[in-house]
Amino acid sequence: MSSAPSSIYTTSIPVFKQMLGGLSEVLRKAEAHATEKKIDPDALLQARLFPDMFPLLRQVQVASDFAKSVSARLAGVEVPKLDDKEQTFADLQARIATVLGFIEGLDTSKFDEAATREIVTQAGTPKEKRFTGQSYLLNYGLPHFFFHTTTAYAILRHNGVEVGKKDYIGTY
């Protein structure tokens, strides 16, 4: 008899899958918008909300990085490396598909001890941070993931792509 997935699994993997699916749909609509309006795709891929913020392309890369790295660390497996060489909507779709394939392939049992597993990060600074798995997911991983998925959506909406909340949220 198998046990139910851990609460860390159920509050991470299904959320990442749902939101990456929504991000994929938003990007699909953005590409169609560019084609229909005869807009150079790079105008959208390089669009930003403000000059000191990442452009759309990088927002998608970082959102997908959070989905894969948070999932991997919680499962206690090595974080897969992606090269960040995406240049097109098709490249971004392939990246999302790769990350979805990775997180969908994680065995639920890997998350059994995730809530109390120590997670050590060194994000962007030489200063390391230590978390329990639960704190890492709820106070660090999900907020960062949602920031970048939301910003990607906002960039496209700001640039006239007809997307709404249903597109952003995805299928659940």
Side-chain angles (χ1 to χ4, degrees), residues 76-131:
V77 300
E78 188 173 336
V79 177
K81 175 78 173 106
L82 298 178
D83 291 331
D84 296 340
K85 292 183 180 181
E86 294 80 16
Q87 297 295 315
T88 66
F89 283 108
D91 292 345
L92 291 176
Q93 294 287 10
R95 182 187 184 98
I96 291 170
T98 296
V99 171
L100 282 170
F102 169 71
I103 64 176
E104 288 169 348
L106 292 171
D107 190 295
T108 59
S109 68
K110 295 273 191 192
F111 293 80
D112 289 349
E113 305 299 321
T116 57
R117 180 174 287 129
E118 182 179 47
I119 309 285
V120 180
T121 65
Q122 209 167 344
T125 69
K127 193 174 186 178
E128 78 177 19
K129 292 190 183 266
R130 295 179 176 274
F131 301 91

